[in-house]
Amino acid sequence: MLSAASDILDKAVKLLEKASLCDRCLGRFFAGLGFALTNKARGESIKTMLLLAASASLREGDDKGAEGLLRLLARTGFKPANELLIKVGGTPVDAVPCELCLGMFDSALEAMVSGALSSLSNYEFGSFLVGCKVPGSIIEREDSLRSAVGIEWGESIKREVNREAGLSIASRTGKTPDFQRPDLLVVLNFHKMSVEVKPFPIFVRGRYRKLVRGVPQSRWFCPQCRGKGCSACNWTGKRYQVSVEELVTQPLMEAFGAAKAKFHGAGREDIDVRVLGPGRPFVVELIEPRKRFVNLEQLQGEVNRRCQGVIEVADLSYADKSLIGMLKLSARVKRKAYRVLVESEEAISRERLEAAAAALSNVTVKQRTPTRVLHRRADKLRLKKVHEVKLTRVEDGVFEVVVKCQGGLYVKELVHGDGGRTTPSLQELLGVKLKVLELDVVDVETP
Ligand SMILES: [Zn+2]
Ligand SMILES: [Zn+2]
């Protein structure tokens, strides 16, 4: 056991011969030894043990060896070593600032933590994680000392900075350090001597109903200026003044104090299509939010008050990032239901309509990319399932059906056939030219 003790002290002396080290930096080389101790306590104890050893050597008459050791200790700013040196008639040694951290721990760390605390006061959070950027030269010095002396017990300076800053921030804010899913990240940058606070995004899910036609799901830029603003768009940069995306995200961004927001819908509808029934599921990703604990019931009321008569949101709740992928994946396979109002070129009897509806039920439809979107989508063949077509209303030259089908099916084309690009279609089955007057989404299955 004693040989282990002398091994530790031997290595400490070798380190101090190579560099003046503050208590923390010296202690850090022995961080793997002992538990529930700070590196500062380790460093102080080692320096104290070395001082006792020097003192014992003096008694044994080894003045030269003792003085050398005392000078090494005094150089690090360890006061008792200088006092003993003076007592035995030696000349005092000027302290040299730590050559490893360059005094980072003494002054810079506390300044950084204060900076972090003042930045953090702008954010709502429950948990956090500290990270740091340390100059490469410090890391290199640390590595070369460790290998030159052959030390296997150390930890890195970054790890110590992160832990010490984390403990200090935790005790001064009452918040919890969290390594798995922190609300925000505090980055202490020792290159620039600056602090960055990076809140992680918040995800809010819900459903929207679109009560009117003529509103696109996402922001639609002006085709003339592509968003810059021109006379054609009255300097708004937009082709349509509002979109579901903007109507939903604007009040959310305000409530969460977010820098940006992304809107993800479970599929999308054409601008002239309403979304009724329970509505279409969506997730909003709020980027760099300053607030995290928003009352969603109140927020839902606020969105609906502002968007009265245009859209309506329901079931707002906090969600996980993974929901976005699920939403996109499932949009193509989940069931959707549509109400379609169709005009026919000539009157068709109820019996013929019912027969055609039945013939389209439980059928897999072959659908090439619709002509109307060919300019922006690749020409592909899709196979989509139609679960049910049900006739719900027949009037003079006009009838209404409810179509239940797989997500991603183009419903307008299922009615008029798109010149044979969608087959079978209602028009093909009836042999009469058809036109879609109105289309509403009436149900979207939740992922
Ligand atoms: Zn140091
Ligand atoms: Zn424009």
Side-chain angles (χ1 to χ4, degrees), residues 134-379:
V134 172
S137 54
I138 292 186
I139 309 224
E140 278 163 31
R141 270 199 298 280
E142 186 171 56
D143 284 346
S144 76
L145 278 173
R146 197 183 291 129
S147 63
V149 179
I151 283 184
E152 286 152 14
W153 310 301
E155 68 173 346
S156 72
I157 189 163
K158 277 180 148 181
R159 210 175 124 166
E160 178 170 12
V161 168
N162 293 345
R163 186 183 55 242
E164 294 294 310
L167 287 171
S168 176
I169 292 170
S171 77
R172 285 145 90 176
T173 59
K175 314 288 183 186
T176 332
D178 182 339
F179 299 94
Q180 305 301 321
R181 307 186 71 169
D183 286 344
L184 50 80
L185 190 64
V186 180
V187 180
L188 309 180
N189 187 329
F190 287 89
H191 291 278
K192 297 183 188 161
M193 295 306 285
S194 64
V195 180
E196 257 180 282
V197 172
K198 296 180 184 167
F200 285 99
I202 291 218
F203 300 88
V204 174
R205 71 185 293 177
R207 289 174 160 265
Y208 74 83
R209 285 161 42 91
K210 188 168 100 188
L211 309 170
V212 296
R213 303 183 198 284
V215 175
Q217 189 195 50
S218 43
R219 199 170 308 158
W220 195 320
F221 290 114
C222 163
Q224 310 283 319
C225 64
R226 292 172 192 274
K228 286 196 200 102
C230 67
S231 57
C233 60
N234 203 17
W235 307 99
T236 58
K238 293 189 283 190
R239 169 130 184 232
Y240 296 96
Q241 291 322 299
V242 290
S243 59
V244 174
E245 175 183 12
E246 290 162 288
L247 290 170
V248 175
T249 56
Q250 190 55 38
L252 264 66
M253 275 174 62
E254 289 169 25
F256 284 92
K260 278 195 285 184
K262 284 190 199 154
F263 181 88
H264 309 270
R268 54 200 305 137
E269 70 283 345
D270 287 340
I271 181 164
D272 57 347
V273 173
R274 293 185 298 181
V275 181
L276 306 174
R280 187 188 294 280
F282 66 85
V283 183
V284 174
E285 178 178 0
L286 293 143
I287 296 159
E288 287 182 38
R290 287 182 179 268
K291 296 213 155 50
R292 308 189 81 86
F293 310 119
V294 171
N295 180 323
L296 294 181
E297 217 177 291
Q298 274 174 22
L299 182 54
Q300 181 169 315
E302 172 68 12
V303 176
N304 289 337
R305 195 184 54 72
R306 284 205 218 173
C307 305
Q308 223 161 39
V310 181
I311 64 153
E312 212 172 84
V313 296
D315 305 335
L316 288 194
S317 65
Y318 287 101
D320 193 84
K321 184 183 177 132
S322 61
L323 188 64
I324 296 171
M326 263 159 61
L327 214 62
K328 301 222 179 277
L329 266 175
S330 68
R332 277 177 259 141
V333 290
K334 291 282 175 176
R335 285 175 181 234
K336 313 233 163 125
Y338 298 85
R339 181 191 74 92
V340 201
L341 188 63
V342 185
E343 185 185 59
S344 60
E345 214 174 47
E346 54 190 72
I348 313 168
S349 71
R350 176 178 282 272
E351 291 68 33
R352 271 175 71 204
L353 285 170
E354 274 175 348
L360 256 192
S361 297
N362 268 315
V363 158
T364 299
V365 168
K366 285 187 205 154
Q367 191 160 58
R368 297 209 73 87
T369 304
T371 320
R372 64 189 165 94
V373 298
L374 259 182
H375 63 285
R376 59 189 164 93
R377 297 262 162 90
D379 191 4

Side-chain angles (χ1 to χ4, degrees), residues 9 44-58 66 69-70 73-74 78-85:
L9 295 180
E44 265 172 4
S45 321
I46 290 171
K47 287 183 185 179
T48 306
M49 269 308 297
L50 291 174
L51 179 87
L52 301 187
S55 189
S57 301
L58 280 174
L69 187 50
L70 288 174
L73 290 168
F78 187 59
K79 289 206 181 72
N82 242 346
E83 278 159 30
L84 188 53
L85 258 182

Side-chain angles (χ1 to χ4, degrees), residues 21-26 28 98-105:
L21 296 173
C22 68
D23 296 347
R24 279 178 191 280
C25 286
L26 177 62
R28 195 164 57 253
C98 179
E99 290 168 303
L100 178 46
C101 70
L102 309 174
M104 204 171 95
F105 277 112

Side-chain angles (χ1 to χ4, degrees), residues 75-120:
R75 191 165 68 117
T76 69
F78 187 59
K79 289 206 181 72
N82 242 346
E83 278 159 30
L84 188 53
L85 258 182
I86 295 165
K87 198 171 168 219
V88 300
T91 44
V93 176
D94 286 338
V96 174
C98 179
E99 290 168 303
L100 178 46
C101 70
L102 309 174
M104 204 171 95
F105 277 112
D106 287 338
S107 48
L109 183 60
E110 180 49 37
M112 292 288 230
V113 168
S114 306
L117 289 170
S118 89
S119 295
L120 284 172

